Amino acid sequence: MANEVTHRWRHRVGVALLTTFSISTQPLHAMPLGAITTESLPLIINTEEYPPFNYSDEHGQIIGSATLLLRNALRQADIEAYFRLLPWARAYTEARFRENHCVYSTTRTPEREALFHWVGPLAVNDWAAFSLAERGLSIASLSGLHAWRVGSFREDAVGDYVASRGINVLLAPSERENIARLEAGLLDVIVTGKATGEFMAQEQDIALAHLFTFYRAPLYLACHPSVSERLLARLQTQLDALHRDMREESL
C-alpha cells in the first residue's frame, strides 16, 4: 500500500512538472564575449533528496512541491536554469562558494542570512523528532534527547539547531541513510522535517512514531551573491503571484 501511495504521488507531481515547465539542460549558445553577463547565463540550481519538497522520481526527474513552485516561477520570469540533484552538503557548499549557483529548499537562518541572496518562501517545514514505533519511546521535548543517539545529516539546519541546544547529533550524508540507521538500531531518534520523515517512512514501509514538533521554518532558494539581484527580484515577483493565485484558489 505504501509503495502504491508513493507511486501515485510521484506520478501526479511528475505529470504536473512535465506539463507546466521544461528546463533546458543544453549549454548556452555561443555569444559575443561582451554580451555575456550574469543575467544572460542560466542559473545552476542545486537541490537534494528531501521529499516531499524536492527529490527525484523513478526516471531521474527532479520533482516535489517546492520544485514545482520554483520551476513555474522561473518559467513565468523567463529565467533559464539547470537543476542538479546532489548530496545536501555539496549542494549547499557549491551555492555558498560558486558563482551563479543556488540551492533549495534552504532554511533561512540568522547565520546564513548574509551568505546568500534569498527568494521565497517555497514551502514551510515543521521540524520534528521521530523514533521507530516499536521502540515505544516517550520523549516530549528537545531536553529529553540528551540520553539518546540522535541523527541528522551534514549542513542541515534542523540538526544544527538541535546541536546548538547541547545535544550530541550524529551526522549522516543524507536523510535516507538516517532512516536506514534508525531501522538498523544505530540511532534512537532522528530529527528532520515532519513531512519528510512521514514521506520516507511511508515510502520504505517503516512504522515511525512522531515524538514531538519543535520548530517551524520557511524554506527558500538561496543564491550566491554573484547572482543578479534584479533577476532574483523578477523571480520573487512571479513567486509572490503564484502564492496569491494559490491562496485565491483555496478560498
Side-chain angles (χ1 to χ4, degrees):
M1 179 63 182
N3 287 334
E4 292 179 6
V5 172
T6 302
H7 179 76
R8 288 198 299 272
W9 162 261
R10 288 183 167 178
H11 176 73
R12 285 197 300 270
V13 176
V15 169
L17 286 172
L18 290 172
T19 57
T20 57
F21 187 68
S22 174
I23 218 67
S24 171
T25 59
Q26 299 302 314
L28 192 68
H29 293 299
M31 300 175 64
L33 185 60
I36 298 177
T37 66
T38 302
E39 290 190 40
S40 66
L41 295 171
L43 291 178
I44 307 300
I45 298 183
N46 302 323
T47 192
E48 62 158 342
E49 288 277 350
Y50 198 66
F53 307 115
N54 30 268
Y55 62 103
S56 63
D57 65 12
E58 58 268 29
H59 305 295
Q61 174 77 13
I62 300 173
I63 62 172
S65 58
T67 305
L68 177 59
L69 187 62
L70 180 55
R71 287 189 188 269
N72 279 334
L74 287 163
R75 176 180 57 81
Q76 293 185 15
D78 195 26
I79 297 171
E80 186 180 5
Y82 173 59
F83 282 65
R84 302 192 306 165
L85 192 75
L86 303 169
W88 175 250
R90 181 182 168 195
Y92 177 86
T93 300
E94 290 205 4
R96 171 77 178 86
F97 293 108
R98 295 188 65 181
E99 292 188 359
N100 215 46
H101 280 61
C102 303
V103 62
Y104 79 102
S105 296
T106 310
T107 305
R108 189 171 183 173
T109 66
E111 295 78 15
R112 293 172 173 176
E113 182 66 32
L115 303 179
F116 299 99
H117 291 157
W118 300 87
V119 176
L122 300 172
V124 176
N125 194 21
D126 291 327
W127 296 356
F130 293 92
S131 66
L132 290 179
E134 65 189 43
R135 295 285 303 277
L137 299 184
S138 179
I139 306 170
S141 66
L142 288 177
S143 61
L145 294 180
H146 289 278
W148 303 96
R149 295 168 298 173
V150 179
S152 180
F153 59 99
R154 299 186 187 108
E155 300 289 357
D156 180 51
V158 183
D160 289 347
Y161 179 91
V162 173
S164 73
R165 269 54 187 173
I167 296 163
N168 184 37
V169 177
L170 304 173
L171 301 179
S174 69
E175 192 69 281
R176 280 196 168 89
E177 184 165 329
N178 266 328
I179 295 285
R181 289 182 179 188
L182 189 67
E183 188 178 28
L186 301 176
L187 296 173
D188 302 304
V189 175
I190 58 170
V191 288
T192 184
K194 185 173 185 291
T196 300
E198 291 172 346
F199 185 100
M200 290 190 170
Q202 187 178 54
E203 178 185 62
Q204 299 180 39
D205 199 21
I206 297 171
L208 289 187
H210 170 235
L211 300 174
F212 58 90
T213 298
F214 55 93
Y215 196 74
R216 194 162 215 242
L219 298 173
Y220 287 78
L221 175 72
C223 293
H224 187 275
S226 64
V227 177
S228 165
E229 291 187 76
R230 184 172 62 178
L231 180 145
L232 294 180
R234 198 164 82 236
L235 179 59
Q236 184 68 62
T237 296
Q238 296 304 321
L239 184 62
D240 291 342
L242 288 170
H243 280 305
R244 284 195 300 271
D245 291 344
M246 288 189 292
R247 285 194 298 270
E248 290 173 1
E249 288 176 4
S250 66
L251 294 179

Coordinates of all heavy atoms in Angstrom, one line a residue, residues 176-216:
R176 N 17.9 9.8 3.8 CA 17.5 8.4 3.6 C 18.4 7.5 4.4 O 18.0 6.5 4.9 CB 17.5 8.0 2.2 CG 16.2 8.5 1.5 CD 16.0 7.8 0.1 NE 14.7 8.0 -0.4 CZ 14.3 9.0 -1.1 NH1 15.3 9.9 -1.5 NH2 13.1 9.2 -1.5
E177 N 19.7 7.8 4.5 CA 20.6 7.0 5.3 C 20.3 7.1 6.8 O 20.4 6.1 7.5 CB 22.1 7.4 5.1 CG 23.1 6.5 5.9 CD 24.5 6.7 5.4 OE1 24.7 7.0 4.3 OE2 25.4 6.5 6.3
N178 N 19.8 8.2 7.3 CA 19.3 8.3 8.7 C 18.2 7.3 8.9 O 18.1 6.7 10.0 CB 18.9 9.7 9.0 CG 20.0 10.5 9.6 OD1 20.9 10.0 10.3 ND2 20.0 11.8 9.3
I179 N 17.2 7.3 8.0 CA 16.1 6.3 8.2 C 16.6 4.9 8.3 O 16.2 4.1 9.1 CB 15.1 6.4 7.0 CG1 14.5 7.8 7.0 CG2 14.1 5.3 7.1 CD1 13.4 8.0 8.0
A180 N 17.6 4.6 7.4 CA 18.2 3.2 7.4 C 18.9 3.0 8.8 O 18.9 1.9 9.3 CB 19.2 3.0 6.3
R181 N 19.7 4.0 9.3 CA 20.4 3.8 10.5 C 19.4 3.6 11.7 O 19.6 2.8 12.6 CB 21.3 5.0 10.8 CG 22.5 5.1 9.9 CD 23.3 6.4 10.3 NE 24.5 6.5 9.4 CZ 25.5 7.4 9.6 NH1 25.4 8.2 10.6 NH2 26.5 7.4 8.8
L182 N 18.3 4.3 11.6 CA 17.3 4.2 12.7 C 16.7 2.8 12.7 O 16.6 2.1 13.7 CB 16.2 5.2 12.4 CG 15.1 5.4 13.5 CD1 15.7 6.0 14.8 CD2 14.0 6.3 13.0
E183 N 16.4 2.3 11.5 CA 15.8 0.9 11.3 C 16.8 -0.1 11.8 O 16.4 -1.2 12.3 CB 15.4 0.7 9.9 CG 14.6 -0.6 9.7 CD 14.1 -0.8 8.3 OE1 14.7 -0.3 7.4 OE2 13.1 -1.5 8.1
A184 N 18.1 0.1 11.5 CA 19.1 -0.9 11.9 C 19.5 -0.8 13.4 O 20.3 -1.6 13.8 CB 20.4 -0.6 11.1
G185 N 18.9 0.1 14.1 CA 19.2 0.2 15.5 C 20.5 1.0 15.9 O 21.0 1.0 17.0
L186 N 21.0 1.7 14.9 CA 22.2 2.6 15.1 C 21.9 3.9 15.7 O 22.8 4.6 16.2 CB 23.0 2.7 13.8 CG 23.5 1.4 13.2 CD1 24.2 1.7 11.8 CD2 24.4 0.7 14.1
L187 N 20.6 4.3 15.6 CA 20.1 5.6 16.1 C 18.8 5.3 16.9 O 18.1 4.3 16.7 CB 19.8 6.6 15.0 CG 20.9 7.1 14.1 CD1 20.3 7.9 13.0 CD2 21.9 7.9 14.9
D188 N 18.6 6.1 17.9 CA 17.3 6.0 18.7 C 16.3 7.0 18.2 O 15.1 6.7 18.2 CB 17.6 6.3 20.2 CG 18.6 5.4 20.8 OD1 18.4 4.2 20.7 OD2 19.6 5.9 21.3
V189 N 16.7 8.1 17.7 CA 15.9 9.2 17.3 C 16.5 9.9 16.1 O 17.7 10.0 16.0 CB 15.7 10.3 18.4 CG1 14.8 11.5 18.0 CG2 15.0 9.6 19.7
I190 N 15.6 10.4 15.2 CA 16.1 11.3 14.1 C 15.3 12.6 14.2 O 14.2 12.6 14.6 CB 15.9 10.7 12.7 CG1 14.5 10.3 12.4 CG2 16.8 9.5 12.5 CD1 14.2 10.0 10.9
V191 N 16.0 13.7 13.9 CA 15.3 15.0 13.8 C 15.3 15.4 12.3 O 16.4 15.4 11.7 CB 16.0 16.0 14.7 CG1 15.8 15.7 16.2 CG2 17.5 16.1 14.5
T192 N 14.2 15.8 11.8 CA 14.0 16.1 10.4 C 12.8 16.9 10.2 O 12.0 17.2 11.2 CB 14.0 14.8 9.6 OG1 14.0 15.2 8.2 CG2 12.9 13.9 9.9
G193 N 12.5 17.2 9.0 CA 11.2 17.8 8.7 C 10.1 16.8 8.9 O 10.2 15.6 8.5
K194 N 9.0 17.2 9.5 CA 7.9 16.3 9.8 C 7.3 15.6 8.5 O 7.1 14.4 8.5 CB 6.8 17.0 10.5 CG 5.6 16.1 11.0 CD 4.6 16.8 11.9 CE 3.6 15.9 12.4 NZ 2.7 15.4 11.4
A195 N 7.1 16.4 7.5 CA 6.6 15.9 6.2 C 7.6 15.0 5.6 O 7.2 13.9 5.0 CB 6.2 17.0 5.3
T196 N 8.9 15.3 5.7 CA 9.9 14.4 5.1 C 10.0 13.1 5.8 O 10.1 12.0 5.2 CB 11.3 15.1 5.2 OG1 11.2 16.4 4.4 CG2 12.4 14.3 4.6
G197 N 10.0 13.1 7.2 CA 10.0 11.9 7.9 C 8.9 11.0 7.6 O 9.0 9.8 7.4
E198 N 7.7 11.6 7.5 CA 6.5 10.8 7.2 C 6.5 10.2 5.8 O 6.1 9.1 5.6 CB 5.2 11.6 7.5 CG 5.0 12.0 9.0 CD 3.9 13.0 9.2 OE1 3.5 13.6 8.2 OE2 3.5 13.1 10.4
F199 N 7.0 11.0 4.9 CA 7.0 10.6 3.5 C 8.0 9.4 3.3 O 7.7 8.4 2.7 CB 7.5 11.7 2.6 CG 7.5 11.4 1.1 CD1 6.4 11.9 0.3 CD2 8.5 10.7 0.5 CE1 6.4 11.6 -1.0 CE2 8.5 10.4 -0.8 CZ 7.5 10.9 -1.6
M200 N 9.2 9.5 3.9 CA 10.2 8.5 3.8 C 9.8 7.2 4.5 O 10.1 6.1 4.0 CB 11.5 9.0 4.3 CG 12.2 10.0 3.3 SD 13.9 10.4 3.8 CE 14.4 11.3 2.4
A201 N 9.1 7.3 5.6 CA 8.7 6.2 6.4 C 7.6 5.4 5.5 O 7.7 4.2 5.5 CB 8.1 6.6 7.7
Q202 N 6.7 6.2 4.9 CA 5.7 5.5 4.1 C 6.3 4.9 2.9 O 6.0 3.8 2.5 CB 4.7 6.6 3.7 CG 3.5 6.0 2.9 CD 2.5 7.1 2.6 OE1 2.8 8.1 2.0 NE2 1.2 6.9 3.0
E203 N 7.3 5.6 2.3 CA 8.0 5.1 1.1 C 8.7 3.8 1.3 O 8.7 2.9 0.5 CB 9.0 6.2 0.6 CG 9.8 5.8 -0.6 CD 10.9 6.9 -0.9 OE1 11.7 7.1 0.0 OE2 10.8 7.5 -2.0
Q204 N 9.3 3.7 2.5 CA 10.1 2.5 2.8 C 9.3 1.5 3.7 O 9.9 0.5 4.2 CB 11.4 2.9 3.5 CG 12.3 3.8 2.6 CD 13.6 4.3 3.3 OE1 14.2 3.5 4.0 NE2 14.0 5.5 3.1
D205 N 8.1 1.8 4.0 CA 7.2 0.9 4.7 C 7.8 0.7 6.1 O 7.9 -0.5 6.6 CB 7.0 -0.4 4.0 CG 5.8 -1.2 4.5 OD1 4.9 -0.5 5.1 OD2 5.7 -2.4 4.3
I206 N 8.2 1.8 6.8 CA 8.7 1.7 8.1 C 7.7 2.5 9.1 O 7.3 3.6 8.7 CB 10.1 2.4 8.2 CG1 11.1 1.6 7.3 CG2 10.6 2.5 9.6 CD1 12.4 2.3 7.2
A207 N 7.4 1.9 10.2 CA 6.5 2.5 11.1 C 7.3 3.4 12.1 O 8.0 3.0 12.9 CB 5.8 1.4 11.9
L208 N 7.1 4.7 11.9 CA 7.8 5.7 12.7 C 6.8 6.3 13.7 O 5.6 6.4 13.4 CB 8.4 6.9 11.9 CG 9.6 6.6 11.0 CD1 10.1 7.9 10.5 CD2 10.7 5.9 11.8
A209 N 7.3 6.7 14.9 CA 6.5 7.4 15.9 C 6.9 8.8 15.9 O 8.1 9.1 16.1 CB 6.6 6.7 17.3
H210 N 6.0 9.7 15.7 CA 6.2 11.2 15.8 C 6.3 11.5 17.3 O 5.2 11.4 18.0 CB 5.2 12.0 15.1 CG 5.2 13.4 15.3 ND1 4.2 14.2 15.8 CD2 6.3 14.3 15.2 CE1 4.5 15.4 15.9 NE2 5.8 15.5 15.6
L211 N 7.4 11.9 17.8 CA 7.6 12.2 19.2 C 7.1 13.6 19.6 O 6.3 13.7 20.5 CB 9.0 12.0 19.6 CG 9.6 10.6 19.4 CD1 11.1 10.6 19.7 CD2 8.9 9.6 20.2
F212 N 7.6 14.6 18.8 CA 7.1 16.0 19.1 C 7.6 16.8 17.9 O 8.5 16.5 17.2 CB 7.7 16.5 20.4 CG 9.2 16.5 20.5 CD1 10.0 17.5 20.1 CD2 9.8 15.3 21.1 CE1 11.4 17.5 20.2 CE2 11.2 15.3 21.2 CZ 12.0 16.4 20.8
T213 N 7.0 18.0 17.8 CA 7.4 19.0 16.8 C 8.0 20.2 17.6 O 7.4 20.6 18.6 CB 6.2 19.5 16.0 OG1 5.8 18.3 15.2 CG2 6.6 20.6 15.0
F214 N 9.1 20.7 17.2 CA 9.8 21.8 18.0 C 10.1 23.1 17.3 O 10.5 24.0 17.9 CB 11.1 21.2 18.6 CG 12.1 20.7 17.6 CD1 13.1 21.5 17.1 CD2 12.0 19.3 17.2 CE1 14.0 21.0 16.2 CE2 12.9 18.8 16.3 CZ 13.9 19.6 15.8
Y215 N 9.8 23.2 16.0 CA 10.1 24.5 15.3 C 9.4 24.5 14.0 O 9.0 23.4 13.4 CB 11.6 24.6 15.1 CG 12.1 26.0 14.7 CD1 12.1 27.0 15.7 CD2 12.5 26.3 13.4 CE1 12.5 28.3 15.4 CE2 12.9 27.6 13.1 CZ 12.9 28.6 14.1 OH 13.3 29.9 13.8
R216 N 9.1 25.7 13.4 CA 8.5 25.8 12.1 C 9.4 26.8 11.3 O 9.6 27.9 11.7 CB 7.1 26.4 12.3 CG 6.2 26.2 11.0 CD 4.8 26.3 11.3 NE 4.0 25.5 10.5 CZ 3.0 25.9 9.7 NH1 2.8 27.2 9.6 NH2 2.4 25.1 8.9

